[in-house]
Amino acid sequence: MQANALQSLGGFPVILISFAGVAIFLVLRLRGVLGRRVGFERPPMPQGPAPGQASGPVIEGQAFPVQSGHVVPDPGSPLGQKLMQIVSRDQHFDPPQFLSQAETSFRLIVTAFAAGDRTALKPLLTEHVFETFEAAITAREQAAERHQTEIKSIPEARIEDAQLLGDTAAIIVRFTSDQVNMVLDAEGHPKIGTDAVTELTDLWTFERNLKGPELTWRLAAARTG
């Protein structure tokens, strides 16, 4: 584990973002705005889906396919063992599949923030993070600014760290993305950013209560890499 990779947020070891810190992060980094599978095996699963949940696809004796640029740690590594603890607690958790879903969430959150779409953001963020994003959107609206953001590509998404405390799991994902970001004033003139493609590295912490009724991993913290 990298030093200080996990810190405290509401009693759980994830990155705390203060309001001011998030506002700076959103403006300057979002600017208008989850390898291959090698041996992660679940314990024997009960027959049929869990109550209130749909069963996922099971491919006997095969690894689930993963996207190019996704990096999942070896299950024998220290980080891999942390993920195995989550696997043993949650029959629906599959590290490569999680990483694919995390990338989808990254794209949705970045573009929804740029558009000021609170409805799209709310189910993807923890309550604390939603409050800070909403405050930043409100401040932007009051300043008559708008954000212009385009994700050109995400060359790499890598599971960086993981933690399980009680029924709550958190996973840090490092995203390397190529983006175009600009902040425009009321007249549409650029205030911050450039129309050139810039490579950004971000560390996002996704969190889920393994005993909860929903399977969505919500963004609980974010910082630049």
Side-chain angles (χ1 to χ4, degrees), residues 30-66:
L30 293 181
R31 290 177 191 167
V33 195
L34 242 112
R36 60 188 174 92
R37 185 181 178 185
V38 281
F40 280 99
E41 300 295 338
R42 299 184 182 89
M45 294 174 60
Q47 295 298 317
Q53 295 178 332
S55 59
V58 177
I59 306 176
E60 294 295 338
Q62 299 182 35
F64 288 107
V66 297

PDB file of all heavy atoms in Angstrom, residues 30-66:
ATOM      1  N   LEU A  30     -10.703  18.624 -13.120  1.00  0.00           N
ATOM      2  CA  LEU A  30     -11.829  18.210 -13.948  1.00  0.00           C
ATOM      3  C   LEU A  30     -12.110  19.309 -14.972  1.00  0.00           C
ATOM      4  O   LEU A  30     -12.472  19.020 -16.104  1.00  0.00           O
ATOM      5  CB  LEU A  30     -13.065  17.957 -13.091  1.00  0.00           C
ATOM      6  CG  LEU A  30     -12.971  16.755 -12.147  1.00  0.00           C
ATOM      7  CD1 LEU A  30     -14.270  16.596 -11.366  1.00  0.00           C
ATOM      8  CD2 LEU A  30     -12.666  15.467 -12.891  1.00  0.00           C
ATOM      9  N   ARG A  31     -11.936  20.529 -14.541  1.00  0.00           N
ATOM     10  CA  ARG A  31     -12.082  21.701 -15.416  1.00  0.00           C
ATOM     11  C   ARG A  31     -13.374  21.657 -16.192  1.00  0.00           C
ATOM     12  O   ARG A  31     -13.419  21.798 -17.404  1.00  0.00           O
ATOM     13  CB  ARG A  31     -10.907  21.793 -16.378  1.00  0.00           C
ATOM     14  CG  ARG A  31      -9.655  22.164 -15.624  1.00  0.00           C
ATOM     15  CD  ARG A  31      -8.463  22.199 -16.518  1.00  0.00           C
ATOM     16  NE  ARG A  31      -7.258  22.304 -15.754  1.00  0.00           N
ATOM     17  CZ  ARG A  31      -6.070  22.102 -16.251  1.00  0.00           C
ATOM     18  NH1 ARG A  31      -5.916  21.782 -17.505  1.00  0.00           N
ATOM     19  NH2 ARG A  31      -5.013  22.207 -15.492  1.00  0.00           N
ATOM     20  N   GLY A  32     -14.381  21.590 -15.500  1.00  0.00           N
ATOM     21  CA  GLY A  32     -15.672  21.551 -16.149  1.00  0.00           C
ATOM     22  C   GLY A  32     -16.312  20.223 -15.870  1.00  0.00           C
ATOM     23  O   GLY A  32     -17.458  20.029 -16.202  1.00  0.00           O
ATOM     24  N   VAL A  33     -15.610  20.014 -15.344  1.00  0.00           N
ATOM     25  CA  VAL A  33     -16.113  18.886 -14.758  1.00  0.00           C
ATOM     26  C   VAL A  33     -15.613  18.986 -13.297  1.00  0.00           C
ATOM     27  O   VAL A  33     -14.490  19.239 -13.145  1.00  0.00           O
ATOM     28  CB  VAL A  33     -15.652  17.567 -15.506  1.00  0.00           C
ATOM     29  CG1 VAL A  33     -16.452  16.433 -15.116  1.00  0.00           C
ATOM     30  CG2 VAL A  33     -14.319  17.666 -16.082  1.00  0.00           C
ATOM     31  N   LEU A  34     -13.636   1.873 -13.044  1.00  0.00           N
ATOM     32  CA  LEU A  34     -13.481   1.326 -12.086  1.00  0.00           C
ATOM     33  C   LEU A  34     -12.762   0.736 -13.152  1.00  0.00           C
ATOM     34  O   LEU A  34     -12.739   0.813 -14.003  1.00  0.00           O
ATOM     35  CB  LEU A  34     -14.851   0.880 -11.469  1.00  0.00           C
ATOM     36  CG  LEU A  34     -15.769   0.957 -10.411  1.00  0.00           C
ATOM     37  CD1 LEU A  34     -16.501   1.243 -10.281  1.00  0.00           C
ATOM     38  CD2 LEU A  34     -16.227   0.488  -9.611  1.00  0.00           C
ATOM     39  N   GLY A  35      -5.451  -4.804 -17.148  1.00  0.00           N
ATOM     40  CA  GLY A  35      -4.599  -5.996 -17.075  1.00  0.00           C
ATOM     41  C   GLY A  35      -5.337  -7.245 -17.508  1.00  0.00           C
ATOM     42  O   GLY A  35      -6.278  -7.257 -18.267  1.00  0.00           O
ATOM     43  N   ARG A  36      -5.347  -7.859 -16.828  1.00  0.00           N
ATOM     44  CA  ARG A  36      -5.967  -9.131 -17.159  1.00  0.00           C
ATOM     45  C   ARG A  36      -6.281  -9.866 -15.881  1.00  0.00           C
ATOM     46  O   ARG A  36      -5.607  -9.708 -14.891  1.00  0.00           O
ATOM     47  CB  ARG A  36      -5.061 -10.018 -18.039  1.00  0.00           C
ATOM     48  CG  ARG A  36      -3.744 -10.360 -17.413  1.00  0.00           C
ATOM     49  CD  ARG A  36      -2.843 -11.069 -18.421  1.00  0.00           C
ATOM     50  NE  ARG A  36      -1.507 -11.288 -17.865  1.00  0.00           N
ATOM     51  CZ  ARG A  36      -1.139 -12.378 -17.234  1.00  0.00           C
ATOM     52  NH1 ARG A  36      -1.986 -13.362 -17.058  1.00  0.00           N
ATOM     53  NH2 ARG A  36       0.085 -12.516 -16.758  1.00  0.00           N
ATOM     54  N   ARG A  37      -7.253 -10.779 -15.959  1.00  0.00           N
ATOM     55  CA  ARG A  37      -7.622 -11.531 -14.779  1.00  0.00           C
ATOM     56  C   ARG A  37      -6.707 -12.739 -14.662  1.00  0.00           C
ATOM     57  O   ARG A  37      -6.538 -13.491 -15.601  1.00  0.00           O
ATOM     58  CB  ARG A  37      -9.084 -11.988 -14.883  1.00  0.00           C
ATOM     59  CG  ARG A  37      -9.538 -12.670 -13.609  1.00  0.00           C
ATOM     60  CD  ARG A  37     -10.963 -13.123 -13.759  1.00  0.00           C
ATOM     61  NE  ARG A  37     -11.361 -13.827 -12.543  1.00  0.00           N
ATOM     62  CZ  ARG A  37     -12.518 -14.421 -12.412  1.00  0.00           C
ATOM     63  NH1 ARG A  37     -13.375 -14.427 -13.390  1.00  0.00           N
ATOM     64  NH2 ARG A  37     -12.832 -15.036 -11.292  1.00  0.00           N
ATOM     65  N   VAL A  38      -6.115 -12.920 -13.499  1.00  0.00           N
ATOM     66  CA  VAL A  38      -5.198 -14.045 -13.319  1.00  0.00           C
ATOM     67  C   VAL A  38      -5.518 -14.734 -11.996  1.00  0.00           C
ATOM     68  O   VAL A  38      -4.879 -14.518 -10.985  1.00  0.00           O
ATOM     69  CB  VAL A  38      -3.719 -13.590 -13.336  1.00  0.00           C
ATOM     70  CG1 VAL A  38      -3.248 -13.356 -14.755  1.00  0.00           C
ATOM     71  CG2 VAL A  38      -3.516 -12.322 -12.511  1.00  0.00           C
ATOM     72  N   GLY A  39      -6.538 -15.570 -11.999  1.00  0.00           N
ATOM     73  CA  GLY A  39      -6.765 -16.457 -10.883  1.00  0.00           C
ATOM     74  C   GLY A  39      -7.701 -15.994  -9.803  1.00  0.00           C
ATOM     75  O   GLY A  39      -7.802 -16.654  -8.773  1.00  0.00           O
ATOM     76  N   PHE A  40      -8.420 -14.875  -9.969  1.00  0.00           N
ATOM     77  CA  PHE A  40      -9.386 -14.493  -8.952  1.00  0.00           C
ATOM     78  C   PHE A  40     -10.573 -15.441  -9.055  1.00  0.00           C
ATOM     79  O   PHE A  40     -11.331 -15.391 -10.023  1.00  0.00           O
ATOM     80  CB  PHE A  40      -9.865 -13.047  -9.152  1.00  0.00           C
ATOM     81  CG  PHE A  40      -8.905 -12.039  -8.634  1.00  0.00           C
ATOM     82  CD1 PHE A  40      -8.032 -11.384  -9.481  1.00  0.00           C
ATOM     83  CD2 PHE A  40      -8.855 -11.740  -7.280  1.00  0.00           C
ATOM     84  CE1 PHE A  40      -7.149 -10.438  -9.000  1.00  0.00           C
ATOM     85  CE2 PHE A  40      -7.973 -10.788  -6.799  1.00  0.00           C
ATOM     86  CZ  PHE A  40      -7.119 -10.148  -7.660  1.00  0.00           C
ATOM     87  N   GLU A  41     -10.738 -16.311  -8.093  1.00  0.00           N
ATOM     88  CA  GLU A  41     -11.840 -17.255  -8.099  1.00  0.00           C
ATOM     89  C   GLU A  41     -12.712 -17.044  -6.883  1.00  0.00           C
ATOM     90  O   GLU A  41     -12.229 -16.866  -5.773  1.00  0.00           O
ATOM     91  CB  GLU A  41     -11.319 -18.708  -8.107  1.00  0.00           C
ATOM     92  CG  GLU A  41     -10.463 -19.045  -9.323  1.00  0.00           C
ATOM     93  CD  GLU A  41     -11.244 -18.995 -10.620  1.00  0.00           C
ATOM     94  OE1 GLU A  41     -12.479 -19.123 -10.571  1.00  0.00           O
ATOM     95  OE2 GLU A  41     -10.625 -18.823 -11.679  1.00  0.00           O
ATOM     96  N   ARG A  42     -14.021 -17.087  -7.089  1.00  0.00           N
ATOM     97  CA  ARG A  42     -14.938 -16.955  -5.984  1.00  0.00           C
ATOM     98  C   ARG A  42     -15.050 -18.267  -5.211  1.00  0.00           C
ATOM     99  O   ARG A  42     -14.841 -19.332  -5.767  1.00  0.00           O
ATOM    100  CB  ARG A  42     -16.334 -16.584  -6.494  1.00  0.00           C
ATOM    101  CG  ARG A  42     -16.400 -15.267  -7.243  1.00  0.00           C
ATOM    102  CD  ARG A  42     -17.856 -14.987  -7.585  1.00  0.00           C
ATOM    103  NE  ARG A  42     -17.974 -13.750  -8.339  1.00  0.00           N
ATOM    104  CZ  ARG A  42     -17.908 -13.698  -9.659  1.00  0.00           C
ATOM    105  NH1 ARG A  42     -17.707 -14.787 -10.357  1.00  0.00           N
ATOM    106  NH2 ARG A  42     -18.033 -12.542 -10.275  1.00  0.00           N
ATOM    107  N   PRO A  43     -15.449 -18.220  -3.913  1.00  0.00           N
ATOM    108  CA  PRO A  43     -15.770 -19.442  -3.198  1.00  0.00           C
ATOM    109  C   PRO A  43     -17.029 -20.039  -3.794  1.00  0.00           C
ATOM    110  O   PRO A  43     -17.737 -19.378  -4.554  1.00  0.00           O
ATOM    111  CB  PRO A  43     -16.004 -18.948  -1.757  1.00  0.00           C
ATOM    112  CG  PRO A  43     -16.348 -17.516  -1.913  1.00  0.00           C
ATOM    113  CD  PRO A  43     -15.565 -17.025  -3.094  1.00  0.00           C
ATOM    114  N   PRO A  44     -17.361 -21.325  -3.487  1.00  0.00           N
ATOM    115  CA  PRO A  44     -18.557 -21.943  -4.056  1.00  0.00           C
ATOM    116  C   PRO A  44     -19.782 -21.070  -3.825  1.00  0.00           C
ATOM    117  O   PRO A  44     -20.017 -20.576  -2.721  1.00  0.00           O
ATOM    118  CB  PRO A  44     -18.665 -23.263  -3.285  1.00  0.00           C
ATOM    119  CG  PRO A  44     -17.263 -23.562  -2.888  1.00  0.00           C
ATOM    120  CD  PRO A  44     -16.632 -22.229  -2.595  1.00  0.00           C
ATOM    121  N   MET A  45     -20.551 -20.873  -4.880  1.00  0.00           N
ATOM    122  CA  MET A  45     -21.722 -20.013  -4.804  1.00  0.00           C
ATOM    123  C   MET A  45     -22.965 -20.840  -4.550  1.00  0.00           C
ATOM    124  O   MET A  45     -23.097 -21.952  -5.060  1.00  0.00           O
ATOM    125  CB  MET A  45     -21.889 -19.221  -6.113  1.00  0.00           C
ATOM    126  CG  MET A  45     -20.785 -18.226  -6.381  1.00  0.00           C
ATOM    127  SD  MET A  45     -20.954 -17.455  -7.995  1.00  0.00           S
ATOM    128  CE  MET A  45     -22.554 -16.687  -7.835  1.00  0.00           C
ATOM    129  N   PRO A  46     -23.912 -20.324  -3.766  1.00  0.00           N
ATOM    130  CA  PRO A  46     -25.165 -21.039  -3.563  1.00  0.00           C
ATOM    131  C   PRO A  46     -25.940 -21.102  -4.859  1.00  0.00           C
ATOM    132  O   PRO A  46     -25.785 -20.264  -5.739  1.00  0.00           O
ATOM    133  CB  PRO A  46     -25.888 -20.179  -2.519  1.00  0.00           C
ATOM    134  CG  PRO A  46     -25.307 -18.823  -2.680  1.00  0.00           C
ATOM    135  CD  PRO A  46     -23.859 -19.057  -3.052  1.00  0.00           C
ATOM    136  N   GLN A  47     -26.838 -22.098  -4.989  1.00  0.00           N
ATOM    137  CA  GLN A  47     -27.633 -22.236  -6.185  1.00  0.00           C
ATOM    138  C   GLN A  47     -28.664 -21.119  -6.262  1.00  0.00           C
ATOM    139  O   GLN A  47     -29.353 -20.826  -5.300  1.00  0.00           O
ATOM    140  CB  GLN A  47     -28.347 -23.598  -6.197  1.00  0.00           C
ATOM    141  CG  GLN A  47     -27.391 -24.777  -6.284  1.00  0.00           C
ATOM    142  CD  GLN A  47     -26.599 -24.752  -7.576  1.00  0.00           C
ATOM    143  OE1 GLN A  47     -27.138 -24.482  -8.639  1.00  0.00           O
ATOM    144  NE2 GLN A  47     -25.309 -25.040  -7.475  1.00  0.00           N
ATOM    145  N   GLY A  48     -28.763 -20.476  -7.428  1.00  0.00           N
ATOM    146  CA  GLY A  48     -29.762 -19.430  -7.619  1.00  0.00           C
ATOM    147  C   GLY A  48     -29.280 -18.102  -7.092  1.00  0.00           C
ATOM    148  O   GLY A  48     -28.310 -18.028  -6.342  1.00  0.00           O
ATOM    149  N   PRO A  49     -29.949 -17.017  -7.472  1.00  0.00           N
ATOM    150  CA  PRO A  49     -29.551 -15.685  -7.041  1.00  0.00           C
ATOM    151  C   PRO A  49     -29.908 -15.434  -5.597  1.00  0.00           C
ATOM    152  O   PRO A  49     -30.789 -16.078  -5.032  1.00  0.00           O
ATOM    153  CB  PRO A  49     -30.350 -14.767  -7.978  1.00  0.00           C
ATOM    154  CG  PRO A  49     -31.570 -15.575  -8.321  1.00  0.00           C
ATOM    155  CD  PRO A  49     -31.103 -17.003  -8.373  1.00  0.00           C
ATOM    156  N   ALA A  50     -29.198 -14.484  -4.981  1.00  0.00           N
ATOM    157  CA  ALA A  50     -29.533 -14.080  -3.626  1.00  0.00           C
ATOM    158  C   ALA A  50     -30.871 -13.386  -3.645  1.00  0.00           C
ATOM    159  O   ALA A  50     -31.284 -12.833  -4.669  1.00  0.00           O
ATOM    160  CB  ALA A  50     -28.452 -13.138  -3.083  1.00  0.00           C
ATOM    161  N   PRO A  51     -31.602 -13.391  -2.534  1.00  0.00           N
ATOM    162  CA  PRO A  51     -32.919 -12.748  -2.496  1.00  0.00           C
ATOM    163  C   PRO A  51     -32.848 -11.305  -2.958  1.00  0.00           C
ATOM    164  O   PRO A  51     -32.037 -10.528  -2.476  1.00  0.00           O
ATOM    165  CB  PRO A  51     -33.297 -12.842  -1.014  1.00  0.00           C
ATOM    166  CG  PRO A  51     -32.556 -14.035  -0.517  1.00  0.00           C
ATOM    167  CD  PRO A  51     -31.252 -14.009  -1.254  1.00  0.00           C
ATOM    168  N   GLY A  52     -33.697 -10.956  -3.915  1.00  0.00           N
ATOM    169  CA  GLY A  52     -33.775  -9.578  -4.380  1.00  0.00           C
ATOM    170  C   GLY A  52     -32.673  -9.183  -5.337  1.00  0.00           C
ATOM    171  O   GLY A  52     -32.573  -8.037  -5.730  1.00  0.00           O
ATOM    172  N   GLN A  53     -31.822 -10.158  -5.745  1.00  0.00           N
ATOM    173  CA  GLN A  53     -30.728  -9.832  -6.642  1.00  0.00           C
ATOM    174  C   GLN A  53     -30.733 -10.786  -7.826  1.00  0.00           C
ATOM    175  O   GLN A  53     -31.043 -11.963  -7.687  1.00  0.00           O
ATOM    176  CB  GLN A  53     -29.377  -9.919  -5.928  1.00  0.00           C
ATOM    177  CG  GLN A  53     -29.217  -8.888  -4.813  1.00  0.00           C
ATOM    178  CD  GLN A  53     -27.895  -9.033  -4.108  1.00  0.00           C
ATOM    179  OE1 GLN A  53     -27.326 -10.110  -4.050  1.00  0.00           O
ATOM    180  NE2 GLN A  53     -27.420  -7.950  -3.534  1.00  0.00           N
ATOM    181  N   ALA A  54     -30.342 -10.250  -8.994  1.00  0.00           N
ATOM    182  CA  ALA A  54     -30.263 -11.084 -10.187  1.00  0.00           C
ATOM    183  C   ALA A  54     -28.902 -11.738 -10.262  1.00  0.00           C
ATOM    184  O   ALA A  54     -27.895 -11.172  -9.869  1.00  0.00           O
ATOM    185  CB  ALA A  54     -30.504 -10.222 -11.437  1.00  0.00           C
ATOM    186  N   SER A  55     -28.873 -12.987 -10.753  1.00  0.00           N
ATOM    187  CA  SER A  55     -27.601 -13.691 -10.867  1.00  0.00           C
ATOM    188  C   SER A  55     -26.846 -13.188 -12.078  1.00  0.00           C
ATOM    189  O   SER A  55     -27.426 -12.846 -13.099  1.00  0.00           O
ATOM    190  CB  SER A  55     -27.839 -15.200 -10.997  1.00  0.00           C
ATOM    191  OG  SER A  55     -28.623 -15.480 -12.133  1.00  0.00           O
ATOM    192  N   GLY A  56     -25.534 -13.125 -11.972  1.00  0.00           N
ATOM    193  CA  GLY A  56     -24.703 -12.682 -13.072  1.00  0.00           C
ATOM    194  C   GLY A  56     -24.225 -13.873 -13.886  1.00  0.00           C
ATOM    195  O   GLY A  56     -24.449 -15.032 -13.530  1.00  0.00           O
ATOM    196  N   PRO A  57     -23.547 -13.628 -15.015  1.00  0.00           N
ATOM    197  CA  PRO A  57     -23.073 -14.725 -15.855  1.00  0.00           C
ATOM    198  C   PRO A  57     -21.954 -15.501 -15.181  1.00  0.00           C
ATOM    199  O   PRO A  57     -21.092 -14.931 -14.527  1.00  0.00           O
ATOM    200  CB  PRO A  57     -22.567 -14.001 -17.113  1.00  0.00           C
ATOM    201  CG  PRO A  57     -22.211 -12.642 -16.628  1.00  0.00           C
ATOM    202  CD  PRO A  57     -23.205 -12.321 -15.551  1.00  0.00           C
ATOM    203  N   VAL A  58     -21.979 -16.802 -15.312  1.00  0.00           N
ATOM    204  CA  VAL A  58     -20.941 -17.666 -14.756  1.00  0.00           C
ATOM    205  C   VAL A  58     -20.307 -18.425 -15.910  1.00  0.00           C
ATOM    206  O   VAL A  58     -20.995 -19.086 -16.677  1.00  0.00           O
ATOM    207  CB  VAL A  58     -21.530 -18.659 -13.730  1.00  0.00           C
ATOM    208  CG1 VAL A  58     -20.435 -19.595 -13.225  1.00  0.00           C
ATOM    209  CG2 VAL A  58     -22.179 -17.927 -12.577  1.00  0.00           C
ATOM    210  N   ILE A  59     -19.015 -18.320 -16.054  1.00  0.00           N
ATOM    211  CA  ILE A  59     -18.291 -19.029 -17.114  1.00  0.00           C
ATOM    212  C   ILE A  59     -17.356 -20.029 -16.444  1.00  0.00           C
ATOM    213  O   ILE A  59     -16.307 -19.661 -15.914  1.00  0.00           O
ATOM    214  CB  ILE A  59     -17.484 -18.056 -18.001  1.00  0.00           C
ATOM    215  CG1 ILE A  59     -18.418 -16.964 -18.546  1.00  0.00           C
ATOM    216  CG2 ILE A  59     -16.814 -18.791 -19.144  1.00  0.00           C
ATOM    217  CD1 ILE A  59     -17.713 -15.906 -19.356  1.00  0.00           C
ATOM    218  N   GLU A  60     -17.747 -21.276 -16.415  1.00  0.00           N
ATOM    219  CA  GLU A  60     -16.980 -22.281 -15.703  1.00  0.00           C
ATOM    220  C   GLU A  60     -15.601 -22.486 -16.327  1.00  0.00           C
ATOM    221  O   GLU A  60     -15.470 -22.681 -17.535  1.00  0.00           O
ATOM    222  CB  GLU A  60     -17.745 -23.616 -15.698  1.00  0.00           C
ATOM    223  CG  GLU A  60     -19.044 -23.590 -14.920  1.00  0.00           C
ATOM    224  CD  GLU A  60     -18.822 -23.368 -13.439  1.00  0.00           C
ATOM    225  OE1 GLU A  60     -17.714 -23.636 -12.969  1.00  0.00           O
ATOM    226  OE2 GLU A  60     -19.761 -22.923 -12.759  1.00  0.00           O
ATOM    227  N   GLY A  61     -14.572 -22.414 -15.482  1.00  0.00           N
ATOM    228  CA  GLY A  61     -13.215 -22.710 -15.916  1.00  0.00           C
ATOM    229  C   GLY A  61     -12.596 -21.655 -16.799  1.00  0.00           C
ATOM    230  O   GLY A  61     -11.556 -21.892 -17.397  1.00  0.00           O
ATOM    231  N   GLN A  62     -13.229 -20.491 -16.912  1.00  0.00           N
ATOM    232  CA  GLN A  62     -12.689 -19.447 -17.765  1.00  0.00           C
ATOM    233  C   GLN A  62     -12.577 -18.143 -17.000  1.00  0.00           C
ATOM    234  O   GLN A  62     -13.267 -17.923 -16.016  1.00  0.00           O
ATOM    235  CB  GLN A  62     -13.595 -19.207 -18.987  1.00  0.00           C
ATOM    236  CG  GLN A  62     -13.754 -20.433 -19.878  1.00  0.00           C
ATOM    237  CD  GLN A  62     -14.608 -20.120 -21.088  1.00  0.00           C
ATOM    238  OE1 GLN A  62     -14.547 -19.008 -21.618  1.00  0.00           O
ATOM    239  NE2 GLN A  62     -15.401 -21.070 -21.521  1.00  0.00           N
ATOM    240  N   ALA A  63     -11.700 -17.297 -17.474  1.00  0.00           N
ATOM    241  CA  ALA A  63     -11.585 -15.958 -16.894  1.00  0.00           C
ATOM    242  C   ALA A  63     -12.538 -15.032 -17.625  1.00  0.00           C
ATOM    243  O   ALA A  63     -12.754 -15.165 -18.823  1.00  0.00           O
ATOM    244  CB  ALA A  63     -10.160 -15.447 -17.030  1.00  0.00           C
ATOM    245  N   PHE A  64     -13.115 -14.082 -16.898  1.00  0.00           N
ATOM    246  CA  PHE A  64     -13.948 -13.084 -17.546  1.00  0.00           C
ATOM    247  C   PHE A  64     -13.065 -12.196 -18.414  1.00  0.00           C
ATOM    248  O   PHE A  64     -11.977 -11.810 -18.005  1.00  0.00           O
ATOM    249  CB  PHE A  64     -14.673 -12.229 -16.510  1.00  0.00           C
ATOM    250  CG  PHE A  64     -15.767 -12.950 -15.788  1.00  0.00           C
ATOM    251  CD1 PHE A  64     -15.612 -13.337 -14.474  1.00  0.00           C
ATOM    252  CD2 PHE A  64     -16.952 -13.254 -16.439  1.00  0.00           C
ATOM    253  CE1 PHE A  64     -16.621 -14.007 -13.809  1.00  0.00           C
ATOM    254  CE2 PHE A  64     -17.967 -13.916 -15.773  1.00  0.00           C
ATOM    255  CZ  PHE A  64     -17.808 -14.301 -14.458  1.00  0.00           C
ATOM    256  N   PRO A  65     -13.513 -11.831 -19.621  1.00  0.00           N
ATOM    257  CA  PRO A  65     -12.695 -10.954 -20.462  1.00  0.00           C
ATOM    258  C   PRO A  65     -12.603  -9.563 -19.860  1.00  0.00           C
ATOM    259  O   PRO A  65     -13.531  -9.089 -19.219  1.00  0.00           O
ATOM    260  CB  PRO A  65     -13.460 -10.929 -21.792  1.00  0.00           C
ATOM    261  CG  PRO A  65     -14.876 -11.233 -21.410  1.00  0.00           C
ATOM    262  CD  PRO A  65     -14.784 -12.202 -20.256  1.00  0.00           C
ATOM    263  N   VAL A  66     -11.467  -8.901 -20.049  1.00  0.00           N
ATOM    264  CA  VAL A  66     -11.276  -7.542 -19.551  1.00  0.00           C
ATOM    265  C   VAL A  66     -10.824  -6.651 -20.699  1.00  0.00           C
ATOM    266  O   VAL A  66     -10.299  -7.119 -21.702  1.00  0.00           O
ATOM    267  CB  VAL A  66     -10.228  -7.477 -18.422  1.00  0.00           C
ATOM    268  CG1 VAL A  66     -10.702  -8.271 -17.219  1.00  0.00           C
ATOM    269  CG2 VAL A  66      -8.878  -8.012 -18.893  1.00  0.00           C
TER     270      VAL A  66
END
